[in-house]
């Protein structure tokens, strides 16, 4: 943020990554809470020297900026006030503007190993997160989730004391061997007994220090029986729902859940759910180079990896369930877990930091294409030609302690090898789901009448400001095409209004329906 952008941001007000504070009598007490919230979420900038006048913000400047900077670094480097120290010298800047001086404090998103960033010496009571323009104290469950993720030890590699091979479902392990043999019939692992096989795959482990050996969480999750799973993970729950009825009173038409009728481990859940997920998908006639019919499309591949990722990369110690929902117009995948890498790295690809690498390894031996370890990125991995209107795929916002993905467009964003940050954001999830549903008719079609496209855009912008980038993503259209053919004409005739009038390329530009 520079002197040219700052006045424009004052007009826009505070949001997810900008906070204005007065600092008239020294550093505001709430400064550290805001820095904690930015660091634990997606980063942001605190501007000191701005007064709030009603719904507007006014530059008043700060007194003795050098003294404020000294006070900031004293607090920042005091672990009883703020921990851990995350800012560097270049993150604090004095900015002269209109004859006054402001202080800008840039806060980067804390690395996984640094979180939680907290105040007043206690992470359980002093950890904050950012939701739009507010700083909110994290729940104890959210803090403990950050603490688990801060460790470099695989979450599913822990040896479970008191658990052994008797806690595994024999039929599940037998089915796994059969699939392994079908995929790699000559693999030397197949000659091993069950314990030796599990040890090679990460389901059984002998600790280097201390010599303790036993079943790992990965082994139990993949092959465990119901009682054993619940003994190890009291909140463990899997839920698949088919919500295909037009009757609002009917919550689901088919359900697979933890009900005592089967061994609800991840291996069994996958093979019960995946065939039902892809049932009804169109499979065009196509031959591979060996003249064998190809029985899958890219949609099948995306759904398969969405399901695998949802199961394997969840934080299984969370109190939230893993939920998969099939609807007439969408597929929804939800699993608990926070984003472990920066959001930009997630979409760009090339970086992988799996929460449960042993589960990844167990899956890789039963079928090809389960999971790429290179981290290809969510924006490029799942693309295919448009299918019929029911085969729509698009992302949904995160909810709860985990990540929810609504699958509904021509590009699949699944619960991949990492997770979006999870706060208490169910409202955002509902808003995103509403937007996805509104955009579906235009997203599903290569071309729609102009009047219909305009109605859809107005409906999307009826309740909140939306950026051109967000509209382009929701509608699966090129930003320039949207701006030239729809946004600009509707701005001119007054049906839309711009958040920053007259500056179409402003970084904070967004659009809303004129009431």
């Amino acid at each position: 943020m520079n002197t040219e952008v700052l006045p424009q941001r004052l007009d826009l007000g505070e949001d997810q990554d900008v906070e204005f504070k007065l600092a008239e009598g020294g550093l505001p007490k709430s400064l550290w809470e805001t820095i904690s919230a930015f660091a634990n979420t997606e980063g942001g900038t605190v501007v000191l020297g701005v007064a709030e006048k009603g719904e507007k913000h006014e530059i008043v400047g700060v007194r003795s900026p050098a003294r404020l900077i000294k006070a900031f670094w004293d607090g920042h480097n005091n672990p009883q006030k703020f921990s851990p120290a995350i800012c560097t010298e270049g993150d604090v800047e004095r900015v002269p503007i209109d004859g006054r001086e402001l202080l800008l404090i840039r806060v980067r998103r804390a690395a996984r190993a640094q979180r939680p960033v907290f105040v007043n010496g206690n992470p359980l009571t002093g950890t904050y997160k950012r939701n739009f323009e507010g700083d909110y104290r994290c729940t104890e469950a959210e803090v403990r989730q950050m603490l688990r993720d801060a460790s470099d030890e695989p979450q599913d590699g822990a040896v479970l004391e008191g658990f052994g091979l008797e806690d595994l479902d024999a039929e599940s392990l037998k089915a796994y061997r059969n699939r392994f043999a079908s995929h790699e019939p000559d693999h030397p692992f197949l000659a091993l007994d069950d314990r030796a096989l599990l040890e090679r795959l990460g389901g059984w482990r002998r600790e280097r220090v201390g010599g303790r050996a036993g079943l790992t969480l990965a082994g139990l999750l993949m092959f465990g029986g119901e009682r054993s799973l619940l003994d190890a993970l009291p909140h463990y729950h899997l839920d698949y729902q088919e919500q295909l009825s037009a009757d609002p009173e009917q919550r689901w038409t088919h359900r697979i859940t933890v009900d005592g009728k089967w061994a609800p481990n991840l291996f069994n859940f996958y093979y019960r759910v995946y065939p039902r997920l892809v049932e009804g998908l169109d499979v065009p006639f196509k031959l591979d180079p060996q003249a064998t019919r190809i029985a899958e499309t890219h949609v099948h591949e995306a759904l398969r990896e969405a399901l695998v990722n949802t199961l394997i990369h969840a934080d299984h110690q969370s109190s939230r369930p893993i939920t998969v929902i099939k609807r007439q117009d969408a597929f929804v995948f939800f699993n608990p877990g926070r984003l472990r890498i920066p959001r930009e790295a997630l979409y760009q690809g090339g970086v992988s930091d799996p929460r449960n690498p042993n589960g990844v390894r167990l899956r890789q031996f039963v079928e090809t294409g389960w999971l790429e370890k290179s981290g290809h990125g969510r924006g490029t991995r799942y693309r295919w030609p448009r299918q019929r209107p029911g085969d729509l795929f698009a992302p949904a916002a995160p909810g709860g302690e985990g990540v929810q993905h609504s699958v509904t467009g021509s590009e699949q964003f699944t619960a991949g090898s990492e997770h979006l940050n999870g706060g208490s954001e169910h409202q955002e999830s509902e808003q995103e789901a509403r937007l996805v549903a509104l955009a579906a008719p235009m997203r599903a079609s290569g071309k729609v009448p102009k009047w219909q496209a305009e109605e859809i855009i107005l409906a999307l912008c009826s309740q909140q400001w939306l950026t051109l980038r967000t509209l382009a993503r929701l509608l699966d259209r090129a930003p320039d095409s949207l701006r030239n053919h729809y946004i600009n004409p509707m701005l001119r005739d007054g049906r839309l209004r711009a958040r920053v009038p007259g500056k179409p390329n402003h970084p904070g530009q967004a659009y809303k329906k004129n009431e």
Side-chain angles (χ1 to χ4, degrees):
M1 186 182 301
N2 53 39
T3 55
E4 295 180 1
V5 174
L6 183 56
Q8 300 165 358
R9 292 306 303 258
L10 288 173
D11 294 334
L12 298 177
E14 297 172 329
D15 59 17
Q16 179 77 12
D17 59 357
V18 174
E19 175 80 11
F20 299 118
K21 294 185 182 294
L22 182 57
E24 195 169 38
L27 290 179
K29 293 181 179 179
S30 63
L31 172 66
W32 303 110
E33 297 174 2
T34 298
I35 296 177
S36 165
F38 279 153
N40 289 323
T41 313
E42 293 299 323
T45 302
V46 182
V47 183
L48 300 182
V50 177
E52 186 174 349
K53 301 292 181 69
E55 295 184 356
K56 296 184 177 181
H57 293 86
E58 178 181 318
I59 295 175
V60 297
V62 297
R63 303 173 184 174
S64 305
R67 179 172 58 84
L68 286 180
I69 293 175
K70 175 66 165 58
F72 170 78
W73 288 117
D74 287 346
H76 177 266
N77 295 310
N78 178 2
Q80 297 304 312
K81 169 60 69 176
F82 185 81
S83 181
I86 59 169
C87 293
T88 63
E89 186 174 349
D91 293 327
V92 181
E93 181 182 2
R94 296 169 63 165
V95 178
I97 187 169
D98 295 338
R100 298 178 175 87
E101 199 158 13
L102 302 176
L103 281 186
L104 268 61
I105 303 173
R106 298 179 180 86
V107 184
R108 295 177 175 85
R109 180 183 187 273
R112 169 175 61 82
Q114 294 176 305
R115 297 195 297 268
V117 176
F118 56 94
V119 302
N120 299 329
N122 189 338
L124 294 180
T125 60
T127 300
Y128 289 81
K129 62 186 176 184
R130 186 76 171 181
N131 289 151
F132 190 52
E133 61 180 33
D135 304 324
Y136 301 92
R137 184 179 280 111
C138 291
T139 65
E140 182 175 335
E142 290 171 327
V143 176
R144 294 195 182 281
Q145 193 172 70
M146 292 186 211
L147 291 169
R148 288 195 296 270
D149 276 341
S151 172
D152 286 330
E153 289 295 317
Q155 286 191 14
D156 65 348
V159 174
L160 300 174
E161 188 171 355
F163 289 78
L165 294 180
E166 65 275 8
D167 291 290
L168 304 183
D169 177 63
E171 292 301 314
S172 298
L173 193 52
K174 180 180 178 181
Y176 179 88
R177 279 185 173 275
N178 290 337
R179 289 189 176 274
F180 193 161
S182 175
H183 175 53
E184 292 279 356
D186 299 321
H187 201 288
F189 285 6
L190 292 171
L192 303 174
D193 62 24
D194 286 347
R195 196 178 99 171
L197 174 63
L198 287 170
E199 189 169 5
R200 293 296 187 96
L201 300 180
W204 185 279
R205 178 185 171 206
R206 181 178 297 278
E207 294 179 343
R208 297 286 183 179
V209 179
R212 186 176 65 152
L215 189 68
T216 66
L217 181 59
L220 184 66
L221 285 167
M222 193 65 69
F223 305 119
E226 179 175 338
R227 185 63 264 165
S228 299
L229 284 163
L230 293 174
D231 285 345
L233 303 166
H235 300 290
Y236 179 81
H237 192 70
L238 304 170
D239 196 3
Y240 170 72
Q241 299 177 21
E242 291 178 359
Q243 300 177 359
L244 304 178
S245 174
D247 182 0
E249 298 298 320
Q250 188 173 4
R251 295 178 63 187
W252 55 75
T253 54
H254 183 79
R255 191 181 189 195
I256 299 173
T257 189
V258 181
D259 56 7
K261 299 177 182 178
W262 59 295
N265 51 60
L266 302 187
F267 180 78
N268 281 342
F269 186 74
Y270 172 85
Y271 283 106
R272 285 172 177 250
V273 168
Y274 176 70
R276 300 195 68 96
L277 274 178
V278 300
E279 185 178 356
L281 290 181
D282 290 338
V283 182
F285 185 82
K286 187 177 181 181
L287 300 179
D288 66 13
Q290 287 73 42
T292 302
R293 182 171 181 182
I294 299 173
E296 286 192 343
T297 66
H298 294 304
V299 181
H300 292 75
E301 295 172 8
L303 283 173
R304 179 169 60 239
E305 194 156 350
L307 179 58
V308 170
N309 288 339
T310 298
L311 298 178
I312 289 181
H313 297 294
D315 181 350
H316 294 285
Q317 298 182 55
S318 169
S319 61
R320 303 191 64 83
I322 292 174
T323 304
V324 180
I325 301 173
K326 180 179 181 178
R327 297 177 181 153
Q328 291 281 6
D329 60 347
F331 299 87
V332 178
F333 300 85
F334 178 92
N335 66 353
R338 296 177 60 89
L339 180 66
R340 288 164 61 92
I341 62 174
R343 191 184 301 267
E344 294 78 11
L346 175 69
Y347 285 97
Q348 182 178 355
V351 179
S352 181
D353 185 14
R355 181 174 280 108
N356 301 304
N358 292 297
V360 175
R361 180 170 171 78
L362 278 160
R363 277 296 184 187
Q364 287 173 331
F365 281 90
V366 290
E367 280 193 40
T368 56
W370 279 110
L371 249 166
E372 297 291 344
K373 298 180 69 174
S374 58
H376 290 288
R378 294 157 55 91
T380 58
R381 293 181 75 175
Y382 314 113
R383 298 177 186 267
W384 55 81
R386 289 190 181 86
Q387 308 292 316
R388 56 185 171 82
D391 299 337
L392 308 175
F393 291 74
E401 295 171 29
V403 53
Q404 173 176 318
H405 300 274
S406 176
V407 184
T408 177
S410 63
E411 184 172 303
Q412 167 69 15
F413 293 82
T414 68
S417 59
E418 310 300 340
H419 306 286
L420 298 177
N421 68 298
S424 298
E425 301 165 354
H426 288 294
Q427 184 177 3
E428 292 185 11
S429 293
E430 293 172 1
Q431 290 174 349
E432 178 74 11
R434 180 185 67 84
L435 295 176
V436 167
L438 289 172
M442 187 169 172
R443 187 182 182 94
S445 176
K447 188 174 183 180
V448 297
K450 186 175 182 179
W451 64 266
Q452 184 181 9
E454 291 176 344
E455 284 188 357
I456 291 172
I457 293 171
L458 290 173
L460 291 170
C461 299
S462 63
Q463 297 183 19
Q464 61 197 94
W465 295 101
L466 293 181
T467 65
L468 182 63
R469 183 177 179 181
T470 297
L471 287 167
R473 171 179 62 79
L474 288 167
L475 298 169
D476 194 20
R477 295 294 192 273
D480 288 342
S481 176
L482 275 180
R483 187 195 333 244
N484 295 332
H485 293 96
Y486 304 107
I487 301 299
N488 287 343
M490 286 192 284
L491 287 172
R492 288 193 292 267
D493 63 27
R495 285 179 290 171
L496 279 181
R497 56 192 173 107
R499 186 157 60 177
V500 187
K503 297 182 178 179
N505 296 319
H506 189 278
Q509 188 61 276
Y511 306 97
K512 193 172 183 182
K513 180 182 177 182
N514 247 335
E515 301 297 339

